[in-house]
Amino acid sequence: MTYDLITMGRIGVDLYPLQTGVPLPQVTSFGKFLGGSASNVAVAAARLGRRTAVITRTGDDPFGTYLHQALKDFGVDDRWVTPVPGLPTPVTFCEVFPPDDFPLYFYRRPKAPDLEIDAHELDLDAVRDTRVFWVTGTGLSEEPSRTATLAALAHRAKSGTTVFDLDWRPMFWTDPDAARPFYAEALRHTTVAVGNLDEVEVATGVREPHAAARALLDAGVELAVVKRGPKGVLAVNRDGESAEVPPLPVNVLNGLGAGDAFGGSLVHGLLAGWELEKTMRHANAAGAIVASRLECSSAMPTPDEIEAAVTAGAVR
């Protein structure tokens, strides 16, 4: 079986407050959702009709059982989601202060199971054969996930489309200098790099968007995508084609899932062979739609919803 997309990386349970503008000590009720960037990207692409799977690990506990069921409900193949005895499934809390303040609190101790992905247990044939393979920077933060991620990238050897989501989370590293050598190694094996301004600076040492895009291309990728927040997105490919797309107007409720929705739509556009600007416009719209909703995974938009937002020029 050949997949449109296999992602590899983080999974967990998101517990989001059902009250906005309320700090955690005063929150009285939460909603439970599937979370983790790699898993959310697989969900987002599945919502757009793509055959997807995720490589990750959970605890051998009820939250792990919940995540398996959630993946299946979203149409994501969970065959490479395995339990790690003795480690709890991660839980992430957030606070929701629209429009731009969403503090995250990761509970991933003593160690997250998704960092226990082992290179010897990978289905490397599936990794090589999938049309798009997606890895994240968090997967490089600890062993054995680091070796597994780099081994999967090396085995794939840039066949098809290989995306590196820079996914910089400072709480998972000692400092940016510790991450850069591993980011550089991953970039050598990937065809697409995606990141916001903080993430591209960690990867390249450069923050200015156009310079950062050039640095990512120089590092070996064929397409650099720099997310600029309220200034939209910049995409530049090795052929010299570029697209600068402004953000869609939206009333933000929770911005935390927007990047994953962007990623799923980006994959969809690349698979469809769309021109660069169309791909970016649809990815921007997908992200904006999720930013207008409370949850992440279950908020991923359908093709019709994305098309409607692009046509309207705003999320309504």
Side-chain angles (χ1 to χ4, degrees):
M1 179 188 299
T2 300
Y3 294 86
D4 292 318
L5 169 68
I6 295 176
T7 67
M8 178 174 174
R10 203 162 67 243
I11 195 169
V13 176
D14 287 345
L15 293 175
Y16 286 173
L18 299 181
Q19 300 122 298
T20 62
V22 178
L24 276 181
Q26 280 73 55
V27 171
T28 58
S29 57
F30 296 85
K32 179 183 67 178
F33 306 99
L34 178 146
S37 60
S39 302
N40 278 337
V41 169
V43 169
R47 187 64 58 87
L48 298 176
R50 298 299 179 177
R51 180 187 290 273
T52 72
V54 60
I55 301 170
T56 190
R57 306 196 74 181
T58 69
D60 188 8
D61 55 23
F63 274 150
T65 301
Y66 161 71
L67 293 174
H68 276 278
Q69 188 58 58
L71 288 170
K72 292 174 183 176
D73 290 346
F74 288 128
V76 178
D77 195 324
D78 66 339
R79 69 181 61 196
W80 297 302
V81 182
T82 57
V84 181
L87 290 179
T89 298
V91 174
T92 302
F93 288 88
C94 80
E95 294 175 301
V96 180
F97 296 102
D100 58 2
D101 186 19
F102 309 101
L104 280 171
Y105 303 90
F106 291 97
Y107 289 76
R108 291 168 60 87
R109 297 297 177 190
K111 186 179 185 180
D114 54 61
L115 293 174
E116 284 291 319
I117 300 172
D118 192 291
H120 298 96
E121 298 173 355
L122 294 175
D123 185 340
L124 291 175
D125 289 339
V127 167
R128 182 192 61 236
D129 294 342
T130 184
R131 297 176 68 192
V132 179
F133 182 54
W134 179 290
V135 301
T136 74
T138 296
L140 300 173
S141 64
E142 289 191 43
E143 294 289 2
S145 172
R146 177 185 299 149
T147 293
T149 301
L150 294 175
L153 290 172
H155 184 82
R156 184 164 168 82
K158 291 191 176 182
S159 59
T161 299
T162 305
V163 184
F164 181 23
D165 175 3
L166 301 178
D167 185 42
W168 167 249
R169 304 285 179 169
M171 67 284 294
F172 300 155
W173 297 85
T174 54
D175 59 64
D177 289 338
R180 284 198 180 102
F182 303 114
Y183 273 54
E185 178 64 16
L187 286 168
R188 290 200 312 112
H189 297 291
T190 54
T191 61
V192 181
V194 183
N196 61 30
L197 294 178
D198 291 337
E199 291 166 340
V200 298
E201 184 176 18
V202 169
T204 68
V206 180
R207 189 173 182 86
E208 195 282 320
H210 290 83
R214 288 193 297 271
L216 290 168
L217 294 172
D218 290 342
V221 306
E222 297 171 13
L223 172 64
V225 180
V226 182
K227 295 182 285 188
R228 305 169 65 190
K231 294 185 178 179
V233 62
L234 167 69
V236 183
N237 67 24
R238 188 169 292 283
D239 295 332
E241 182 184 7
S242 65
E244 292 189 67
V245 176
L248 263 67
V250 58
N251 291 322
V252 174
L253 177 59
N254 183 357
L256 292 175
D260 302 331
F262 181 101
S265 184
L266 169 64
V267 168
H268 182 62
L270 293 172
L271 288 169
W274 291 345
E275 64 180 18
L276 190 58
E277 182 166 337
K278 179 179 179 179
T279 299
M280 293 302 113
R281 287 193 182 279
H282 280 69
N284 248 4
I289 290 168
V290 172
S292 73
R293 299 169 175 174
L294 174 65
E295 65 273 21
C296 291
S297 52
S298 57
M300 296 303 172
T302 65
D304 288 346
E305 289 174 325
I306 295 174
E307 196 62 52
V310 171
T311 300
V315 176
R316 294 174 176 167

